Amino acid sequence: MKNIIIFGAPGSGKGTYSDKIVAKYGMGHISTGDVLRGEIKNGTELGKIAKGYIDNGQLIPDELMIDILAKTYDAEPAGKGVIFDGFPRTIAQAEALKKMLAERGHDMGVMIELNVDEETLMARLLNRAIEQGRADDNEETIKKRFEVYRTQTAPLAEWFEKEGMRNTIDWQKNNSMDAMLSAIYKVIDTANA
Ligand code: AP5
Ligand code: MG
């Protein structure tokens, strides 16, 4: 299986669709947000550093994030392909990922961009706040996360375009979880054909 980079704003469904892809294709899944929340829960040094950034809706510094990502990737079983969920989020992270994979004889595979309007995203995240109580799911922090996404992460879509990897799937056009999933599976199956 080719690697997959699932890309999109907070609440766009990166985690939700990753779970479905894992169930269908049996790939590995690295969510950098989940990795960091695990570190916070375990009270590690890294968790203490990460907490300040996450609670404020800001990105963890690139050098730290790139180091964590490489360690997490190397702990995955080889050969099954991995979904990168929430990484890369900056051009520096994207360049580092490309280099890290090339050093291991692997490639980035396919990028899937989930395009969802902010009103829908806000409603989903406020709903998740009630269900799961994630520390960064409050209106003020969600707005900061949107701003960080718009200014630091969204421009990266162009970088993927130049790499010939960009596949955008639009919520407005599909408008149901099943239709989104069909479109996602089609991209994955085409890439692996
Ligand atoms: P991270 O955990 O990655 O959060 P995020 O990008 O803000 O995205 P979310 O996890 O909130 O949303 P999602 O796209 O996974 O959507 P979900 O499937 O849950 O990162 C958190 C923080 O960690 C960052 O702010 C940063 O501080 C730090 N960080 C992480 N990675 C980093 C990196 N690479 N560099 C630097 N810092 C980093 O869906 C949302 C909700 O919608 C769910 O409840 C779902 O059930 C619901 N939902 C309703 N309808 C639908 C539908 N039709 N499709 C999908 N989901 C739906
Ligand atoms: Mg997520």
Side-chain angles (χ1 to χ4, degrees), residues 6 11-23 29 34 83 85 114 124 128 132 177 181 184-185:
I6 193 150
S12 58
K14 300 184 294 296
T16 303
Y17 299 122
S18 290
D19 289 345
K20 304 275 186 193
I21 297 168
V22 168
H29 176 205
D34 287 347
I83 308 172
D85 159 1
L114 304 168
R124 286 182 188 177
R128 191 178 65 186
Q132 293 180 23
M177 187 103 74
L181 273 173
I184 289 169
Y185 295 156

mmCIF file with all atom_site columns, all heavy atoms in Angstrom, residues 6 11-23 29 34 83 85 114 124 128 132 177 181 184-185:
data_model
loop_
_atom_site.group_PDB
_atom_site.id
_atom_site.type_symbol
_atom_site.label_atom_id
_atom_site.label_alt_id
_atom_site.label_comp_id
_atom_site.label_asym_id
_atom_site.label_entity_id
_atom_site.label_seq_id
_atom_site.pdbx_PDB_ins_code
_atom_site.Cartn_x
_atom_site.Cartn_y
_atom_site.Cartn_z
_atom_site.occupancy
_atom_site.B_iso_or_equiv
_atom_site.pdbx_formal_charge
_atom_site.auth_seq_id
_atom_site.auth_comp_id
_atom_site.auth_asym_id
_atom_site.auth_atom_id
_atom_site.pdbx_PDB_model_num
ATOM 1   N N   . ILE A 1 6   ? -3.290  12.580 4.894  1.00 0.00 ? 6   ILE A N   1
ATOM 2   C CA  . ILE A 1 6   ? -4.654  13.120 4.957  1.00 0.00 ? 6   ILE A CA  1
ATOM 3   C C   . ILE A 1 6   ? -4.558  14.526 5.536  1.00 0.00 ? 6   ILE A C   1
ATOM 4   O O   . ILE A 1 6   ? -3.982  14.745 6.598  1.00 0.00 ? 6   ILE A O   1
ATOM 5   C CB  . ILE A 1 6   ? -5.624  12.168 5.686  1.00 0.00 ? 6   ILE A CB  1
ATOM 6   C CG1 . ILE A 1 6   ? -7.068  12.595 5.452  1.00 0.00 ? 6   ILE A CG1 1
ATOM 7   C CG2 . ILE A 1 6   ? -5.328  12.011 7.160  1.00 0.00 ? 6   ILE A CG2 1
ATOM 8   C CD1 . ILE A 1 6   ? -8.062  11.455 5.464  1.00 0.00 ? 6   ILE A CD1 1
ATOM 9   N N   . GLY A 1 11  ? -11.263 19.518 12.358 1.00 0.00 ? 11  GLY A N   1
ATOM 10  C CA  . GLY A 1 11  ? -12.653 19.081 12.221 1.00 0.00 ? 11  GLY A CA  1
ATOM 11  C C   . GLY A 1 11  ? -13.041 18.617 10.829 1.00 0.00 ? 11  GLY A C   1
ATOM 12  O O   . GLY A 1 11  ? -14.187 18.238 10.588 1.00 0.00 ? 11  GLY A O   1
ATOM 13  N N   . SER A 1 12  ? -12.084 18.611 9.897  1.00 0.00 ? 12  SER A N   1
ATOM 14  C CA  . SER A 1 12  ? -12.421 18.219 8.518  1.00 0.00 ? 12  SER A CA  1
ATOM 15  C C   . SER A 1 12  ? -12.652 16.723 8.389  1.00 0.00 ? 12  SER A C   1
ATOM 16  O O   . SER A 1 12  ? -13.158 16.263 7.356  1.00 0.00 ? 12  SER A O   1
ATOM 17  C CB  . SER A 1 12  ? -11.331 18.695 7.548  1.00 0.00 ? 12  SER A CB  1
ATOM 18  O OG  . SER A 1 12  ? -10.081 18.157 7.923  1.00 0.00 ? 12  SER A OG  1
ATOM 19  N N   . GLY A 1 13  ? -12.273 15.940 9.406  1.00 0.00 ? 13  GLY A N   1
ATOM 20  C CA  . GLY A 1 13  ? -12.539 14.493 9.368  1.00 0.00 ? 13  GLY A CA  1
ATOM 21  C C   . GLY A 1 13  ? -11.285 13.644 9.178  1.00 0.00 ? 13  GLY A C   1
ATOM 22  O O   . GLY A 1 13  ? -11.393 12.464 8.875  1.00 0.00 ? 13  GLY A O   1
ATOM 23  N N   . LYS A 1 14  ? -10.115 14.236 9.398  1.00 0.00 ? 14  LYS A N   1
ATOM 24  C CA  . LYS A 1 14  ? -8.861  13.484 9.200  1.00 0.00 ? 14  LYS A CA  1
ATOM 25  C C   . LYS A 1 14  ? -8.863  12.193 10.029 1.00 0.00 ? 14  LYS A C   1
ATOM 26  O O   . LYS A 1 14  ? -8.559  11.120 9.529  1.00 0.00 ? 14  LYS A O   1
ATOM 27  C CB  . LYS A 1 14  ? -7.639  14.348 9.580  1.00 0.00 ? 14  LYS A CB  1
ATOM 28  C CG  . LYS A 1 14  ? -7.503  15.629 8.764  1.00 0.00 ? 14  LYS A CG  1
ATOM 29  C CD  . LYS A 1 14  ? -6.246  16.401 9.103  1.00 0.00 ? 14  LYS A CD  1
ATOM 30  C CE  . LYS A 1 14  ? -6.174  16.982 10.501 1.00 0.00 ? 14  LYS A CE  1
ATOM 31  N NZ  . LYS A 1 14  ? -7.194  18.028 10.802 1.00 0.00 ? 14  LYS A NZ  1
ATOM 32  N N   . GLY A 1 15  ? -9.197  12.331 11.312 1.00 0.00 ? 15  GLY A N   1
ATOM 33  C CA  . GLY A 1 15  ? -9.190  11.172 12.207 1.00 0.00 ? 15  GLY A CA  1
ATOM 34  C C   . GLY A 1 15  ? -10.308 10.189 11.876 1.00 0.00 ? 15  GLY A C   1
ATOM 35  O O   . GLY A 1 15  ? -10.097 8.975  11.816 1.00 0.00 ? 15  GLY A O   1
ATOM 36  N N   . THR A 1 16  ? -11.492 10.723 11.615 1.00 0.00 ? 16  THR A N   1
ATOM 37  C CA  . THR A 1 16  ? -12.669 9.890  11.318 1.00 0.00 ? 16  THR A CA  1
ATOM 38  C C   . THR A 1 16  ? -12.435 9.037  10.071 1.00 0.00 ? 16  THR A C   1
ATOM 39  O O   . THR A 1 16  ? -12.650 7.822  10.080 1.00 0.00 ? 16  THR A O   1
ATOM 40  C CB  . THR A 1 16  ? -13.894 10.802 11.102 1.00 0.00 ? 16  THR A CB  1
ATOM 41  O OG1 . THR A 1 16  ? -14.065 11.595 12.282 1.00 0.00 ? 16  THR A OG1 1
ATOM 42  C CG2 . THR A 1 16  ? -15.159 10.011 10.832 1.00 0.00 ? 16  THR A CG2 1
ATOM 43  N N   . TYR A 1 17  ? -11.984 9.667  8.985  1.00 0.00 ? 17  TYR A N   1
ATOM 44  C CA  . TYR A 1 17  ? -11.767 8.904  7.739  1.00 0.00 ? 17  TYR A CA  1
ATOM 45  C C   . TYR A 1 17  ? -10.536 7.999  7.861  1.00 0.00 ? 17  TYR A C   1
ATOM 46  O O   . TYR A 1 17  ? -10.524 6.913  7.270  1.00 0.00 ? 17  TYR A O   1
ATOM 47  C CB  . TYR A 1 17  ? -11.665 9.842  6.528  1.00 0.00 ? 17  TYR A CB  1
ATOM 48  C CG  . TYR A 1 17  ? -12.933 10.655 6.312  1.00 0.00 ? 17  TYR A CG  1
ATOM 49  C CD1 . TYR A 1 17  ? -12.923 12.041 6.308  1.00 0.00 ? 17  TYR A CD1 1
ATOM 50  C CD2 . TYR A 1 17  ? -14.158 10.007 6.143  1.00 0.00 ? 17  TYR A CD2 1
ATOM 51  C CE1 . TYR A 1 17  ? -14.092 12.773 6.140  1.00 0.00 ? 17  TYR A CE1 1
ATOM 52  C CE2 . TYR A 1 17  ? -15.336 10.732 5.972  1.00 0.00 ? 17  TYR A CE2 1
ATOM 53  C CZ  . TYR A 1 17  ? -15.295 12.120 5.975  1.00 0.00 ? 17  TYR A CZ  1
ATOM 54  O OH  . TYR A 1 17  ? -16.453 12.834 5.819  1.00 0.00 ? 17  TYR A OH  1
ATOM 55  N N   . SER A 1 18  ? -9.537  8.422  8.625  1.00 0.00 ? 18  SER A N   1
ATOM 56  C CA  . SER A 1 18  ? -8.361  7.543  8.823  1.00 0.00 ? 18  SER A CA  1
ATOM 57  C C   . SER A 1 18  ? -8.793  6.223  9.438  1.00 0.00 ? 18  SER A C   1
ATOM 58  O O   . SER A 1 18  ? -8.334  5.158  9.025  1.00 0.00 ? 18  SER A O   1
ATOM 59  C CB  . SER A 1 18  ? -7.324  8.206  9.735  1.00 0.00 ? 18  SER A CB  1
ATOM 60  O OG  . SER A 1 18  ? -6.715  9.293  9.091  1.00 0.00 ? 18  SER A OG  1
ATOM 61  N N   . ASP A 1 19  ? -9.677  6.277  10.437 1.00 0.00 ? 19  ASP A N   1
ATOM 62  C CA  . ASP A 1 19  ? -10.139 5.031  11.079 1.00 0.00 ? 19  ASP A CA  1
ATOM 63  C C   . ASP A 1 19  ? -10.804 4.107  10.052 1.00 0.00 ? 19  ASP A C   1
ATOM 64  O O   . ASP A 1 19  ? -10.602 2.901  10.077 1.00 0.00 ? 19  ASP A O   1
ATOM 65  C CB  . ASP A 1 19  ? -11.132 5.346  12.206 1.00 0.00 ? 19  ASP A CB  1
ATOM 66  C CG  . ASP A 1 19  ? -10.451 5.988  13.411 1.00 0.00 ? 19  ASP A CG  1
ATOM 67  O OD1 . ASP A 1 19  ? -9.207  5.933  13.506 1.00 0.00 ? 19  ASP A OD1 1
ATOM 68  O OD2 . ASP A 1 19  ? -11.174 6.567  14.256 1.00 0.00 ? 19  ASP A OD2 1
ATOM 69  N N   . LYS A 1 20  ? -11.594 4.690  9.161  1.00 0.00 ? 20  LYS A N   1
ATOM 70  C CA  . LYS A 1 20  ? -12.278 3.880  8.129  1.00 0.00 ? 20  LYS A CA  1
ATOM 71  C C   . LYS A 1 20  ? -11.257 3.291  7.154  1.00 0.00 ? 20  LYS A C   1
ATOM 72  O O   . LYS A 1 20  ? -11.381 2.137  6.739  1.00 0.00 ? 20  LYS A O   1
ATOM 73  C CB  . LYS A 1 20  ? -13.270 4.741  7.336  1.00 0.00 ? 20  LYS A CB  1
ATOM 74  C CG  . LYS A 1 20  ? -14.304 5.444  8.194  1.00 0.00 ? 20  LYS A CG  1
ATOM 75  C CD  . LYS A 1 20  ? -15.475 4.541  8.483  1.00 0.00 ? 20  LYS A CD  1
ATOM 76  C CE  . LYS A 1 20  ? -16.584 5.290  9.213  1.00 0.00 ? 20  LYS A CE  1
ATOM 77  N NZ  . LYS A 1 20  ? -17.584 4.398  9.772  1.00 0.00 ? 20  LYS A NZ  1
ATOM 78  N N   . ILE A 1 21  ? -10.271 4.096  6.778  1.00 0.00 ? 21  ILE A N   1
ATOM 79  C CA  . ILE A 1 21  ? -9.246  3.624  5.828  1.00 0.00 ? 21  ILE A CA  1
ATOM 80  C C   . ILE A 1 21  ? -8.442  2.483  6.464  1.00 0.00 ? 21  ILE A C   1
ATOM 81  O O   . ILE A 1 21  ? -8.175  1.465  5.829  1.00 0.00 ? 21  ILE A O   1
ATOM 82  C CB  . ILE A 1 21  ? -8.308  4.795  5.405  1.00 0.00 ? 21  ILE A CB  1
ATOM 83  C CG1 . ILE A 1 21  ? -9.098  5.868  4.660  1.00 0.00 ? 21  ILE A CG1 1
ATOM 84  C CG2 . ILE A 1 21  ? -7.162  4.278  4.539  1.00 0.00 ? 21  ILE A CG2 1
ATOM 85  C CD1 . ILE A 1 21  ? -8.333  7.187  4.460  1.00 0.00 ? 21  ILE A CD1 1
ATOM 86  N N   . VAL A 1 22  ? -8.096  2.646  7.737  1.00 0.00 ? 22  VAL A N   1
ATOM 87  C CA  . VAL A 1 22  ? -7.345  1.600  8.454  1.00 0.00 ? 22  VAL A CA  1
ATOM 88  C C   . VAL A 1 22  ? -8.161  0.306  8.475  1.00 0.00 ? 22  VAL A C   1
ATOM 89  O O   . VAL A 1 22  ? -7.644  -0.780 8.213  1.00 0.00 ? 22  VAL A O   1
ATOM 90  C CB  . VAL A 1 22  ? -7.014  2.061  9.896  1.00 0.00 ? 22  VAL A CB  1
ATOM 91  C CG1 . VAL A 1 22  ? -6.512  0.899  10.742 1.00 0.00 ? 22  VAL A CG1 1
ATOM 92  C CG2 . VAL A 1 22  ? -5.977  3.178  9.875  1.00 0.00 ? 22  VAL A CG2 1
ATOM 93  N N   . ALA A 1 23  ? -9.458  0.413  8.764  1.00 0.00 ? 23  ALA A N   1
ATOM 94  C CA  . ALA A 1 23  ? -10.310 -0.786 8.837  1.00 0.00 ? 23  ALA A CA  1
ATOM 95  C C   . ALA A 1 23  ? -10.388 -1.474 7.471  1.00 0.00 ? 23  ALA A C   1
ATOM 96  O O   . ALA A 1 23  ? -10.386 -2.695 7.380  1.00 0.00 ? 23  ALA A O   1
ATOM 97  C CB  . ALA A 1 23  ? -11.704 -0.404 9.334  1.00 0.00 ? 23  ALA A CB  1
ATOM 98  N N   . HIS A 1 29  ? -1.434  4.056  11.100 1.00 0.00 ? 29  HIS A N   1
ATOM 99  C CA  . HIS A 1 29  ? -2.030  5.392  11.235 1.00 0.00 ? 29  HIS A CA  1
ATOM 100 C C   . HIS A 1 29  ? -1.216  6.195  12.238 1.00 0.00 ? 29  HIS A C   1
ATOM 101 O O   . HIS A 1 29  ? -1.085  5.790  13.382 1.00 0.00 ? 29  HIS A O   1
ATOM 102 C CB  . HIS A 1 29  ? -3.485  5.237  11.721 1.00 0.00 ? 29  HIS A CB  1
ATOM 103 C CG  . HIS A 1 29  ? -4.199  6.540  11.998 1.00 0.00 ? 29  HIS A CG  1
ATOM 104 N ND1 . HIS A 1 29  ? -5.251  6.629  12.875 1.00 0.00 ? 29  HIS A ND1 1
ATOM 105 C CD2 . HIS A 1 29  ? -4.019  7.795  11.509 1.00 0.00 ? 29  HIS A CD2 1
ATOM 106 C CE1 . HIS A 1 29  ? -5.686  7.889  12.908 1.00 0.00 ? 29  HIS A CE1 1
ATOM 107 N NE2 . HIS A 1 29  ? -4.945  8.613  12.084 1.00 0.00 ? 29  HIS A NE2 1
ATOM 108 N N   . ASP A 1 34  ? -2.747  12.914 18.203 1.00 0.00 ? 34  ASP A N   1
ATOM 109 C CA  . ASP A 1 34  ? -2.939  11.823 19.176 1.00 0.00 ? 34  ASP A CA  1
ATOM 110 C C   . ASP A 1 34  ? -1.626  11.500 19.896 1.00 0.00 ? 34  ASP A C   1
ATOM 111 O O   . ASP A 1 34  ? -1.632  11.227 21.098 1.00 0.00 ? 34  ASP A O   1
ATOM 112 C CB  . ASP A 1 34  ? -3.461  10.548 18.479 1.00 0.00 ? 34  ASP A CB  1
ATOM 113 C CG  . ASP A 1 34  ? -4.923  10.675 18.057 1.00 0.00 ? 34  ASP A CG  1
ATOM 114 O OD1 . ASP A 1 34  ? -5.598  11.622 18.500 1.00 0.00 ? 34  ASP A OD1 1
ATOM 115 O OD2 . ASP A 1 34  ? -5.381  9.814  17.281 1.00 0.00 ? 34  ASP A OD2 1
ATOM 116 N N   . ILE A 1 83  ? -0.892  6.051  7.143  1.00 0.00 ? 83  ILE A N   1
ATOM 117 C CA  . ILE A 1 83  ? -1.638  7.298  6.931  1.00 0.00 ? 83  ILE A CA  1
ATOM 118 C C   . ILE A 1 83  ? -1.041  8.343  7.861  1.00 0.00 ? 83  ILE A C   1
ATOM 119 O O   . ILE A 1 83  ? -0.992  8.134  9.080  1.00 0.00 ? 83  ILE A O   1
ATOM 120 C CB  . ILE A 1 83  ? -3.123  7.159  7.302  1.00 0.00 ? 83  ILE A CB  1
ATOM 121 C CG1 . ILE A 1 83  ? -3.757  5.964  6.614  1.00 0.00 ? 83  ILE A CG1 1
ATOM 122 C CG2 . ILE A 1 83  ? -3.886  8.437  6.966  1.00 0.00 ? 83  ILE A CG2 1
ATOM 123 C CD1 . ILE A 1 83  ? -5.170  5.688  7.114  1.00 0.00 ? 83  ILE A CD1 1
ATOM 124 N N   . ASP A 1 85  ? -1.726  11.658 9.536  1.00 0.00 ? 85  ASP A N   1
ATOM 125 C CA  . ASP A 1 85  ? -2.913  12.461 9.877  1.00 0.00 ? 85  ASP A CA  1
ATOM 126 C C   . ASP A 1 85  ? -2.453  13.655 10.711 1.00 0.00 ? 85  ASP A C   1
ATOM 127 O O   . ASP A 1 85  ? -2.020  13.489 11.840 1.00 0.00 ? 85  ASP A O   1
ATOM 128 C CB  . ASP A 1 85  ? -3.885  11.519 10.613 1.00 0.00 ? 85  ASP A CB  1
ATOM 129 C CG  . ASP A 1 85  ? -4.947  12.207 11.484 1.00 0.00 ? 85  ASP A CG  1
ATOM 130 O OD1 . ASP A 1 85  ? -4.987  13.437 11.543 1.00 0.00 ? 85  ASP A OD1 1
ATOM 131 O OD2 . ASP A 1 85  ? -5.721  11.463 12.115 1.00 0.00 ? 85  ASP A OD2 1
ATOM 132 N N   . LEU A 1 114 ? -9.135  17.341 2.485  1.00 0.00 ? 114 LEU A N   1
ATOM 133 C CA  . LEU A 1 114 ? -10.568 17.409 2.799  1.00 0.00 ? 114 LEU A CA  1
ATOM 134 C C   . LEU A 1 114 ? -10.953 18.884 2.862  1.00 0.00 ? 114 LEU A C   1
ATOM 135 O O   . LEU A 1 114 ? -10.439 19.626 3.706  1.00 0.00 ? 114 LEU A O   1
ATOM 136 C CB  . LEU A 1 114 ? -10.841 16.736 4.149  1.00 0.00 ? 114 LEU A CB  1
ATOM 137 C CG  . LEU A 1 114 ? -10.354 15.278 4.260  1.00 0.00 ? 114 LEU A CG  1
ATOM 138 C CD1 . LEU A 1 114 ? -10.417 14.816 5.719  1.00 0.00 ? 114 LEU A CD1 1
ATOM 139 C CD2 . LEU A 1 114 ? -11.177 14.353 3.373  1.00 0.00 ? 114 LEU A CD2 1
ATOM 140 N N   . ARG A 1 124 ? -19.087 20.997 14.050 1.00 0.00 ? 124 ARG A N   1
ATOM 141 C CA  . ARG A 1 124 ? -18.599 19.653 14.380 1.00 0.00 ? 124 ARG A CA  1
ATOM 142 C C   . ARG A 1 124 ? -17.739 19.673 15.645 1.00 0.00 ? 124 ARG A C   1
ATOM 143 O O   . ARG A 1 124 ? -17.869 18.801 16.507 1.00 0.00 ? 124 ARG A O   1
ATOM 144 C CB  . ARG A 1 124 ? -17.731 19.108 13.241 1.00 0.00 ? 124 ARG A CB  1
ATOM 145 C CG  . ARG A 1 124 ? -18.495 18.686 12.024 1.00 0.00 ? 124 ARG A CG  1
ATOM 146 C CD  . ARG A 1 124 ? -17.491 18.126 11.019 1.00 0.00 ? 124 ARG A CD  1
ATOM 147 N NE  . ARG A 1 124 ? -18.119 17.852 9.736  1.00 0.00 ? 124 ARG A NE  1
ATOM 148 C CZ  . ARG A 1 124 ? -17.437 17.420 8.673  1.00 0.00 ? 124 ARG A CZ  1
ATOM 149 N NH1 . ARG A 1 124 ? -16.137 17.239 8.750  1.00 0.00 ? 124 ARG A NH1 1
ATOM 150 N NH2 . ARG A 1 124 ? -18.063 17.185 7.544  1.00 0.00 ? 124 ARG A NH2 1
ATOM 151 N N   . ARG A 1 128 ? -18.194 17.930 19.195 1.00 0.00 ? 128 ARG A N   1
ATOM 152 C CA  . ARG A 1 128 ? -17.215 16.987 19.735 1.00 0.00 ? 128 ARG A CA  1
ATOM 153 C C   . ARG A 1 128 ? -16.809 17.399 21.151 1.00 0.00 ? 128 ARG A C   1
ATOM 154 O O   . ARG A 1 128 ? -16.510 16.549 21.992 1.00 0.00 ? 128 ARG A O   1
ATOM 155 C CB  . ARG A 1 128 ? -15.990 16.906 18.821 1.00 0.00 ? 128 ARG A CB  1
ATOM 156 C CG  . ARG A 1 128 ? -15.064 15.751 19.184 1.00 0.00 ? 128 ARG A CG  1
ATOM 157 C CD  . ARG A 1 128 ? -13.880 15.628 18.257 1.00 0.00 ? 128 ARG A CD  1
ATOM 158 N NE  . ARG A 1 128 ? -13.001 16.787 18.356 1.00 0.00 ? 128 ARG A NE  1
ATOM 159 C CZ  . ARG A 1 128 ? -11.948 16.996 17.581 1.00 0.00 ? 128 ARG A CZ  1
ATOM 160 N NH1 . ARG A 1 128 ? -11.646 16.126 16.622 1.00 0.00 ? 128 ARG A NH1 1
ATOM 161 N NH2 . ARG A 1 128 ? -11.200 18.060 17.732 1.00 0.00 ? 128 ARG A NH2 1
ATOM 162 N N   . GLN A 1 132 ? -16.495 14.637 23.793 1.00 0.00 ? 132 GLN A N   1
ATOM 163 C CA  . GLN A 1 132 ? -15.154 14.134 24.161 1.00 0.00 ? 132 GLN A CA  1
ATOM 164 C C   . GLN A 1 132 ? -14.371 15.049 25.094 1.00 0.00 ? 132 GLN A C   1
ATOM 165 O O   . GLN A 1 132 ? -13.400 14.607 25.700 1.00 0.00 ? 132 GLN A O   1
ATOM 166 C CB  . GLN A 1 132 ? -14.322 13.878 22.901 1.00 0.00 ? 132 GLN A CB  1
ATOM 167 C CG  . GLN A 1 132 ? -14.878 12.741 22.062 1.00 0.00 ? 132 GLN A CG  1
ATOM 168 C CD  . GLN A 1 132 ? -14.052 12.494 20.804 1.00 0.00 ? 132 GLN A CD  1
ATOM 169 O OE1 . GLN A 1 132 ? -12.881 12.852 20.743 1.00 0.00 ? 132 GLN A OE1 1
ATOM 170 N NE2 . GLN A 1 132 ? -14.659 11.902 19.808 1.00 0.00 ? 132 GLN A NE2 1
ATOM 171 N N   . MET A 1 177 ? -21.158 11.423 4.658  1.00 0.00 ? 177 MET A N   1
ATOM 172 C CA  . MET A 1 177 ? -19.976 10.670 5.056  1.00 0.00 ? 177 MET A CA  1
ATOM 173 C C   . MET A 1 177 ? -19.699 9.565  4.033  1.00 0.00 ? 177 MET A C   1
ATOM 174 O O   . MET A 1 177 ? -18.562 9.339  3.641  1.00 0.00 ? 177 MET A O   1
ATOM 175 C CB  . MET A 1 177 ? -20.226 10.080 6.442  1.00 0.00 ? 177 MET A CB  1
ATOM 176 C CG  . MET A 1 177 ? -19.048 9.413  7.041  1.00 0.00 ? 177 MET A CG  1
ATOM 177 S SD  . MET A 1 177 ? -18.218 10.365 8.305  1.00 0.00 ? 177 MET A SD  1
ATOM 178 C CE  . MET A 1 177 ? -19.274 10.294 9.696  1.00 0.00 ? 177 MET A CE  1
ATOM 179 N N   . LEU A 1 181 ? -16.431 9.071  1.708  1.00 0.00 ? 181 LEU A N   1
ATOM 180 C CA  . LEU A 1 181 ? -15.630 7.844  1.785  1.00 0.00 ? 181 LEU A CA  1
ATOM 181 C C   . LEU A 1 181 ? -15.438 7.209  0.416  1.00 0.00 ? 181 LEU A C   1
ATOM 182 O O   . LEU A 1 181 ? -14.339 6.768  0.087  1.00 0.00 ? 181 LEU A O   1
ATOM 183 C CB  . LEU A 1 181 ? -16.298 6.844  2.732  1.00 0.00 ? 181 LEU A CB  1
ATOM 184 C CG  . LEU A 1 181 ? -15.930 7.008  4.210  1.00 0.00 ? 181 LEU A CG  1
ATOM 185 C CD1 . LEU A 1 181 ? -16.774 6.073  5.060  1.00 0.00 ? 181 LEU A CD1 1
ATOM 186 C CD2 . LEU A 1 181 ? -14.449 6.760  4.453  1.00 0.00 ? 181 LEU A CD2 1
ATOM 187 N N   . ILE A 1 184 ? -12.838 9.074  -1.357 1.00 0.00 ? 184 ILE A N   1
ATOM 188 C CA  . ILE A 1 184 ? -11.522 8.799  -0.758 1.00 0.00 ? 184 ILE A CA  1
ATOM 189 C C   . ILE A 1 184 ? -11.003 7.427  -1.226 1.00 0.00 ? 184 ILE A C   1
ATOM 190 O O   . ILE A 1 184 ? -9.844  7.293  -1.643 1.00 0.00 ? 184 ILE A O   1
ATOM 191 C CB  . ILE A 1 184 ? -11.612 8.867  0.787  1.00 0.00 ? 184 ILE A CB  1
ATOM 192 C CG1 . ILE A 1 184 ? -11.816 10.322 1.235  1.00 0.00 ? 184 ILE A CG1 1
ATOM 193 C CG2 . ILE A 1 184 ? -10.376 8.258  1.449  1.00 0.00 ? 184 ILE A CG2 1
ATOM 194 C CD1 . ILE A 1 184 ? -12.184 10.490 2.704  1.00 0.00 ? 184 ILE A CD1 1
ATOM 195 N N   . TYR A 1 185 ? -11.866 6.424  -1.174 1.00 0.00 ? 185 TYR A N   1
ATOM 196 C CA  . TYR A 1 185 ? -11.437 5.070  -1.586 1.00 0.00 ? 185 TYR A CA  1
ATOM 197 C C   . TYR A 1 185 ? -11.037 5.048  -3.061 1.00 0.00 ? 185 TYR A C   1
ATOM 198 O O   . TYR A 1 185 ? -10.120 4.340  -3.450 1.00 0.00 ? 185 TYR A O   1
ATOM 199 C CB  . TYR A 1 185 ? -12.554 4.046  -1.341 1.00 0.00 ? 185 TYR A CB  1
ATOM 200 C CG  . TYR A 1 185 ? -12.912 3.830  0.120  1.00 0.00 ? 185 TYR A CG  1
ATOM 201 C CD1 . TYR A 1 185 ? -14.176 3.353  0.492  1.00 0.00 ? 185 TYR A CD1 1
ATOM 202 C CD2 . TYR A 1 185 ? -11.994 4.094  1.139  1.00 0.00 ? 185 TYR A CD2 1
ATOM 203 C CE1 . TYR A 1 185 ? -14.513 3.150  1.827  1.00 0.00 ? 185 TYR A CE1 1
ATOM 204 C CE2 . TYR A 1 185 ? -12.329 3.907  2.481  1.00 0.00 ? 185 TYR A CE2 1
ATOM 205 C CZ  . TYR A 1 185 ? -13.590 3.433  2.819  1.00 0.00 ? 185 TYR A CZ  1
ATOM 206 O OH  . TYR A 1 185 ? -13.920 3.242  4.136  1.00 0.00 ? 185 TYR A OH  1
#
